[in-house]
Amino acid sequence: MRRPHIRGHRLAVAVAVTTAATLTAGVAGTASASSTASPVAAPSASTHAPQKAVDAARTAAFAHAQATGVGKKDTLKATDTLVDPDGRQHVRFVRTHRGLPVLGGDLVVHLTADSAYEGVTRAYRHRVDVPDTDPKLSAGEARTKAAAVAKGHAGEAELVVDARADRTTLAYRVEVADSRTAEAGGARTVILDAASGAVLSNAPVDDSFLSPAVQAKLRARGERLNPSTGSLTPAPAATTEAAGTAGFPSAATGSGASFFVGKVPLSTTRTAQKSFTLKDSTRGNTETRDAGDKELGKFSDGKAFTSATNRWGNGTTSSRATAAVDAQYGVTSTLDFYKKTFGRKGIKNDGRGARALVHFGKKVGNAYWSSDCGCMLYGDGDGRTFAKPLVVLDVTGHELTHGVVDATANLQPTRVDEEGNQFGEPGALNESLADIFGSAVEFSTNNPKNPPNYLMGEKLGLSQKFLRRLDKPSLDKLEGTVDYWSKASYDTEVHAGSGVSSHAFYLLAEGSGKKTIGGVAYNSPTYKGTKVTGIGRSKATAIFYRALTRYMVSTTDFHDARNATLRAAKDLYGATSTAYKTVDKAWAAVNVTAANAPAGNH
């Protein structure tokens, strides 16, 4: 069974509180983290959790309690620390209150190069305080209620403080496995009021590529997808001699015949003279295993793929290794993108590789990112709508980016319905970033059998020829994706709402109007017909990544994202730069401006 991980759901707007000068280019009411940040021509480098920065940021958070909202009964745990080339530091914290985990207590403390307090980005404005920690509801009652709500097997009931939606409530967090309300018997996390037993949230654990609503629509249409596959042109021959030093295990180079990208080289591990494992020691021991058609909860329960020839798969479903080839290729391509573009070493920036389980469950027509497993989960298709595993490159890039978001801003939907459909701007921004960087993985990989473009899921065989697209999101009729922000975005399904920030990114990178890129025709509109000239994909990607890792938190909405990307553009290229001004124009072109920013919580 999948062991559930925790995904609290944030319900309010992030607020950036700082002490320096106000941003220019129309950022009303938001202060900059620095009035003297030096422009940098490339994405900032990072180091992982230097203790000195953590200690300084923690001290600053308590010293500036009015701005940070941190109280005497709070404890801060650092989850990520980034140090810029100019020495500025950004420390991300989660919080406990009276010893209990706080849902919605995340914040990022910003420090100068000499460790002086510069500002904070926090998820909530209100101070967290519960008068006592004695629940009226027993743990047993909470488990019974959660099991009934999620229709599964309840685990332990953990006391937490729910500080979401401007409330401060003593609550239980219960992980429910084998939920009959989750796809493929997955897990849900149920949050219950510890006094009344009221359900505060009930959310699926794993991020899925296809929403329940889209799956239902495809089934209702009777649409059977015919995914395009790659031709099996020759790939580099498998290496029979071990690379590097003598002895086993050692690195080797093999070749794989995939479903979607033809034949590809694969870095593998040689374990004996004629024995190889599909594990990449050159990328943090990234590995793909066979789930054996079971819904495994642990990667270690999967069966390792082995070969005597270092050749993997045959391009068809007759070989169980074929799906593994696509999965391993997609995972390593994504890791390569993040490392060479941002210097990010692994999904959590901790040097570890990523993992994948193929042949997950029986008749599962979806792909997932599981933070708890730290791996990708790929079903083989449901046999009706999807005839092949969803091991396409941009699907993998999309889902692994959810892992990057989990490890950084941890953007959360504002609500989840009984079918598992998610709603709200922070969740939509999460989906958008997964599309943006999933597309960037294609451009970075530049495989001629999987030509890079600004389309998502174009190889799945959908009748509309793609699932989503960044240049004009509303061409996605299947999900009803939108081009522009409106007040309806507050409670739009996350895949549909993702079009707002995806469109802003495309305009920032490529600009408005007609153009052909890599053989694909685009024609990107703007809200009032204004013209936007793009600054290039490289700079746009750097800005959005820096915004995600430094200036976004669990509740960041589209207007917060605008401010975050403006701050990122100022850091990288300067407040008077073309890049900074174009960020402002791109958001205005999707109707996200300082003038229509919400005054408070939605």
Side-chain angles (χ1 to χ4, degrees):
M1 301 299 109
R2 270 177 282 177
R3 180 168 59 88
H5 67 273
I6 305 304
R7 290 182 63 84
H9 297 276
R10 318 315 196 217
L11 303 176
V13 187
V15 53
V17 184
T18 57
T19 57
T22 303
L23 287 169
T24 56
V27 186
T30 303
S32 167
S34 172
S35 59
T36 59
S38 301
V40 181
S44 298
S46 68
T47 57
H48 189 70
Q51 192 58 45
K52 182 179 179 181
V54 171
D55 293 342
R58 183 180 287 111
T59 299
F62 284 94
H64 297 270
Q66 185 173 357
T68 64
V70 177
K72 295 180 179 179
K73 299 173 184 177
D74 294 341
T75 301
L76 298 179
K77 177 183 177 182
T79 60
D80 195 23
T81 301
L82 298 173
V83 180
D84 296 339
D86 63 3
R88 294 172 63 211
Q89 302 148 60
H90 311 266
V91 183
R92 189 178 298 274
F93 291 106
V94 292
R95 182 182 348 189
T96 61
H97 178 74
R98 292 177 176 259
L100 302 179
V102 178
L103 308 184
D106 55 304
L107 65 155
V108 183
V109 176
H110 310 289
L111 304 174
T112 64
D114 58 1
S115 296
Y117 174 77
E118 193 174 44
V120 65
T121 306
R122 52 186 282 208
Y124 289 95
R125 295 176 175 86
H126 64 286
R127 185 177 293 275
V128 175
D129 190 20
V130 290
D132 63 68
T133 57
D134 294 324
K136 294 182 180 178
L137 199 69
S138 72
E141 290 170 328
R143 292 179 70 248
T144 299
K145 177 69 176 287
V149 169
K151 299 179 181 179
H153 304 296
E156 294 300 315
E158 177 189 21
L159 276 177
V160 298
V161 176
D162 188 351
R164 305 168 300 171
D166 283 336
R167 61 176 170 242
T168 303
T169 305
L170 186 66
Y172 280 108
R173 176 167 57 188
V174 185
E175 303 174 354
V176 181
D178 306 324
S179 172
R180 295 191 298 279
T181 66
E183 186 180 17
R188 296 181 80 97
T189 298
V190 180
I191 309 298
L192 302 168
D193 189 309
S196 67
V199 178
L200 302 179
S201 63
N202 174 15
V205 164
D206 297 327
D207 291 295
S208 62
F209 184 69
L210 298 167
S211 69
V214 165
Q215 290 179 304
K217 186 175 290 188
L218 288 169
R219 286 193 293 269
R221 290 180 179 182
E223 187 172 341
R224 184 173 176 82
L225 308 190
N226 183 28
S228 56
T229 56
S231 59
L232 294 180
T233 53
T239 300
T240 56
E241 294 297 325
T245 60
F248 309 116
S250 57
T253 300
S255 65
S258 73
F259 285 127
F260 295 105
V261 289
K263 288 190 175 180
V264 293
L266 294 171
S267 294
T268 62
T269 298
R270 188 177 188 179
T271 56
Q273 187 65 30
K274 293 184 178 181
S275 181
F276 301 86
T277 300
L278 196 55
K279 178 190 289 188
D280 187 347
S281 62
T282 69
R283 295 178 176 87
N285 288 325
T286 290
E287 183 179 5
T288 298
R289 291 189 177 184
D290 190 337
D293 306 317
K294 298 177 182 178
E295 294 167 22
L296 299 182
K298 294 189 298 182
F299 178 77
S300 58
D301 290 338
K303 182 181 179 181
F305 281 97
T306 60
S307 169
T309 64
N310 210 8
R311 291 178 172 86
W312 310 83
N314 62 9
T316 74
T317 56
S318 66
S319 171
R320 294 183 72 84
T322 300
V325 171
D326 279 286
Q328 185 81 351
Y329 178 75
V331 171
T332 55
S333 295
T334 302
L335 293 176
D336 287 352
F337 158 72
Y338 277 105
K339 184 176 181 179
K340 74 181 183 182
T341 309
F342 307 119
R344 188 176 187 86
K345 300 175 182 178
I347 300 303
K348 294 184 178 181
N349 202 22
D350 57 3
R352 297 181 182 182
R355 303 175 297 185
L357 286 169
V358 293
H359 309 302
F360 181 83
K362 293 183 178 179
K363 296 189 180 301
V364 176
N366 217 331
Y368 315 84
W369 164 255
S370 171
S371 285
D372 186 67
C373 172
C375 56
M376 285 292 303
L377 310 174
Y378 298 96
D380 280 338
D382 57 10
R384 295 181 298 171
T385 303
F386 290 97
K388 286 187 175 69
L390 272 73
V391 286
V392 183
L393 179 60
D394 60 5
V395 172
T396 297
H398 172 104
E399 289 301 320
L400 286 178
T401 296
H402 280 311
V404 174
V405 174
D406 282 350
T408 54
N410 194 25
L411 292 156
Q412 297 291 328
T414 55
R415 73 177 179 92
V416 183
D417 68 16
E418 293 182 355
E419 286 73 39
N421 294 294
Q422 303 179 15
F423 299 82
E425 291 188 22
L429 182 59
N430 193 335
E431 291 299 330
S432 171
L433 290 167
D435 281 354
I436 288 167
F437 293 116
S439 173
V441 167
E442 281 192 346
F443 279 104
S444 174
T445 306
N446 198 26
N447 186 319
K449 300 297 181 184
N450 194 134
N453 51 54
Y454 290 103
L455 312 178
M456 292 301 300
E458 72 277 6
K459 293 181 77 70
L460 293 180
L462 291 159
S463 62
Q464 70 176 22
K465 308 302 181 184
F466 53 84
L467 181 60
R468 289 182 296 278
R469 59 189 297 156
L470 278 62
D471 65 316
K472 188 176 181 181
S474 61
L475 292 175
D476 167 23
K477 305 301 181 183
L478 184 62
E479 294 175 307
T481 307
V482 299
D483 291 333
Y484 311 116
W485 179 85
S486 71
K487 291 183 178 179
S489 300
Y490 299 154
D491 196 45
T492 297
E493 193 275 330
V494 294
H495 296 88
S498 70
V500 175
S501 45
S502 292
H503 192 191
F505 171 84
Y506 176 87
L507 290 168
L508 177 63
E510 303 292 352
S512 57
K514 294 182 179 181
K515 62 174 53 183
T516 299
I517 305 169
V520 178
Y522 302 97
N523 188 5
S524 191
T526 60
Y527 185 64
K528 292 185 177 180
T530 55
K531 181 180 179 180
V532 177
T533 300
I535 61 172
R537 186 173 57 254
S538 178
K539 287 185 176 180
T541 304
I543 289 169
F544 268 69
Y545 178 78
R546 183 175 178 86
L548 165 66
T549 55
R550 271 79 167 173
Y551 300 120
M552 293 185 186
V553 289
S554 60
T555 58
T556 297
D557 63 12
F558 292 132
H559 286 82
D560 298 327
R562 170 183 176 271
N563 293 339
T565 50
L566 281 168
R567 294 173 73 179
K570 179 183 177 183
D571 291 347
L572 293 172
Y573 308 112
T576 61
S577 66
T578 298
Y580 183 92
K581 295 173 183 177
T582 307
V583 169
D584 188 53
K585 291 178 181 178
W587 283 107
V590 298
N591 196 34
V592 176
T593 67
N596 63 16
N601 298 337
H602 309 155

